[in-house]
């Protein structure tokens, strides 16, 4: 993964208008990412927890 | 300044969203931050539990 900020340019953003300042993801994008992250993490944590409890028994 | 209860209710009488609204109409940033923080707390707690279990079991096997 990269920690570099995504900066809007003429090439990657067809609605770019500098008068509106810098561009950020919408909260819909944030919610979509959050959902994906949430599902993956939830499954992985559940699985790790399950395996560890199996070892304990 | 705080809005009166009636103004607040009036301003919330929006129509129910359609699927097509996703992308043009989005959740509040405050709400998203709250959900993210809540989930982060939940996961931190669960990770700590896993760490604890792991450490306990490691010690049991060493004996």
């Amino acid at each position: 993964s990269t920690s570099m900020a995504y900066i809007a340019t003429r090439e990657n953003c067809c609605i770019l208008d500098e008068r509106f300042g810098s561009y950020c993801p919408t909260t819909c994008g944030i919610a979509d990412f959050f959902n994906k992250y949430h599902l993956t993490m939830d499954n992985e944590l559940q699985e790790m927890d399950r395996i560890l409890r199996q070892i304990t028994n | 300044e705080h809005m009166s209860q009636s103004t607040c209710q009036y301003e919330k009488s929006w129509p129910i969203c359609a699927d097509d609204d996703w992308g043009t109409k989005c959740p509040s940033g405050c709400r998203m931050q709250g959900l993210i923080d809540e989930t982060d707390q939940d996961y931190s707690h669960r990770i700590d539990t896993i760490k604890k279990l792991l450490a306990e079991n490691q010690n049991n096997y060493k004996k």
Side-chain angles (χ1 to χ4, degrees):
Chain A
S1 71
T2 172
S3 58
M4 243 181 60
Y6 188 85
I7 294 158
T9 61
R10 291 253 164 260
E11 286 70 44
N12 64 24
C13 178
C14 65
I15 57 155
L16 177 67
D17 186 337
E18 285 90 351
R19 292 173 300 172
F20 292 125
S22 55
Y23 281 58
C24 297
T26 64
T27 49
C28 289
I30 290 171
D32 285 337
F33 177 87
F34 174 68
N35 272 340
K36 246 187 268 174
Y37 172 80
H38 182 53
L39 282 173
T40 315
M41 274 300 281
D42 197 56
N43 280 334
E44 281 183 19
L45 284 172
Q46 245 172 34
E47 184 65 5
M48 274 195 274
D49 197 65
R50 191 186 63 78
I51 292 169
L52 270 169
R53 285 181 199 282
Q54 208 171 40
I55 295 168
T56 316
N57 287 333
Chain B
E1 260 184 45
H2 284 287
M3 272 191 282
S4 71
Q5 200 65 28
S6 57
T7 322
C8 184
Q9 235 154 31
Y10 172 73
E11 302 230 320
K12 276 181 182 166
S13 58
W14 299 308
I16 290 173
C17 288
D19 284 353
D20 288 347
D21 288 332
W22 191 251
T24 45
K25 290 180 180 179
C26 297
S28 115
C30 192
R31 185 177 171 76
M32 284 317 297
Q33 188 69 66
L35 285 168
I36 289 165
D37 288 346
E38 196 185 340
T39 310
D40 188 47
Q41 253 178 25
D42 174 43
Y43 288 168
S44 297
H45 180 73
R46 284 164 69 181
I47 288 167
D48 284 344
T49 312
I50 287 168
K51 273 183 178 169
K52 217 182 95 197
L53 271 171
L54 203 60
E56 279 171 9
N57 281 300
Q58 223 165 20
N59 286 334
N60 284 344
Y61 272 100
K62 273 178 193 163
K63 279 170 196 166

